Amino acid sequence: MSDERFDVVVIGSGPGGYVAAIRAAQNGLKTACVEVYKTLGGTCLNVGCIPSKALLHTSEIYEAAQTEFPAFGIKTEGLQLDLQAMMANKDKAVTELTGGVAFLFKKNKIEHIVGKGSINGPGSVSVALADGGSRTLEAKNIIIATGSDVTSLPGIEIDGKRIVSSTGALVLDKVPGHMVVIGGGAIGLEMGSVWLRLGSRVTVLEYLDAVLPGMDGEVRKSFGRMLKKQGMEIKTGARVIGVKTTKAGATVTYETVQNETAESIKCDIVLMAVGRKPYTDGLGLEEVGIEVDEAGRIVVGDGFETNVSGIYAIGDVIKGPMLAHKAEDEGIALADNLAGLTGYVNHDVIPSVVYTMPEVAAVGKTEEELKEAGTAYNVGKFPFTANSRAKTNRQTEGFVKIIADAKTDKVLGVHMVGSDAGNMIAEAVLAMEFGASAEDIALTCHAHPTHTEAVKEAAMAVFAKPIHM
Ligand code: FAD
Ligand code: AMP
């Protein structure tokens, strides 16, 4: 095989692409990964999951030091924010983790080709190298893992100064006096929480009647109330129609859905968080005839193959939730398939987590979805106010809600709001993956004292009574 011939060429090194490349190489396939940037890891490691979680963690400690430490008997006189150091800590996490992917590439003998990839047709990828020049790679299999990019509203340009995307919100050099967040999805609420904790006034404008669209209705309502209690201003039923910027700040105009009047808010920084769009610029999809849907997502079949043989796509660039773990699992499944093994992703059981405080986590169906489908179900709920560990830690906000089939008791959905919900949801995911009933969870021994006992008690509440309530 010549240097330019590969079994697999992956375009994009986000969690979809780099994980697919590693698994392909582990499976003995000669693999290259084309990535525009010198650092690997894509949106997730560079400007997404990792830096946002670094700032969420540190801002949470900072806020806790002011509001919670005294109750624990810890005095915090002279507490100060060093934003530069906080940002440096975030950058360190990114550098270490992207460096970790580079190490894994070397270990698995994956060639990282730095440049922009485009597809010439089945079996051929051209790369405009970042350092100049180009290369043409022969590839038995091509995997498109080019991810997604920020999106804006019509007529509103993200200028990176007054109007920022999540990427800009991760690198602000001072705490804004007033930040308006457009969009009450996960990204808007996470980044809004960071700056709220660091001292900004934060106003969220959300078009729908509650934050976190797609999540369980009860969770959305009670979580919205919790954020308001923290001081986040949330205006629902507010459709943003324009933003004007000046040297001094910005004015955001929105229409209220209820009475269709236009109102405006002055602020220092606007965070545009109305979602992301699949990124396929310059890939050559049209020329090759690769089908995309009305949302610009690459259309794939069950095995992630596009309508062009030998060309596959995974991650944010195809349908499904734009989540790192979904992209990773698709990467593993596809790389196994390409090696003649059996790869599989159960798209019905993909957890989603919002890393605010408290966290919100969910897997499976919401009550609204089940009602619409006409499925009869039972609900069991257990509040953290009755969980001993949560009480000890003074983190009693939230609850666990389990929804099970009324006839079979099979768990159909689990929804949680709570300080440790992001970790706790794993149990529910595993239970659902194994087709567990609520009774199975209730009969499973859970360690005491842990937050996870709330899952067991919610499961008991589906068909009987919980003990501690
Ligand atoms: P990406 O990670 O987007 O990677 C695509 C890569 O392809 C990029 O590096 C890009 O430079 C490269 N590329 C594109 N075109 C080309 C080309 N032609 N040639 C070469 N390279 C190319 N998800 C979670 O699960 N949990 C979270 O906590 C979470 N937090 C997030 C926070 C923020 C602020 C954001 C923005 C996103 C967050 N996400 C989170 C979403 C997550 O980042 C994405 O779902 C995930 O990165 C998608 O992975 P991917 O591999 O499909 O694409
Ligand atoms: P997500 O897609 O989860 O990142 O969330 C984006 C959020 O932005 C959703 O809750 C949308 O309802 C919201 N949104 C979209 N357009 C507007 C708009 N014009 N004004 C206010 N909110 C919006």
Side-chain angles (χ1 to χ4, degrees), residues 153 182-188 205-208 210-213 238-241 254 273-276:
L153 293 170
I182 307 178
I187 292 177
L205 300 176
E206 167 55 50
Y207 173 57
L208 297 172
V211 294
L212 297 182
R239 191 172 74 89
V240 173
I241 48 177
Y254 61 95
V274 293
R276 296 178 62 82

Side-chain angles (χ1 to χ4, degrees), residues 11 18 80 90 134-135 253 270 274 313 337 356 439 452 457:
I11 308 177
Y18 90 72
Q80 274 186 346
K90 171 206 68 175
S134 67
R135 274 172 74 173
T253 308
V270 178
V274 293
N337 286 339
T356 42
E439 190 184 27
T452 66
E457 299 245 28

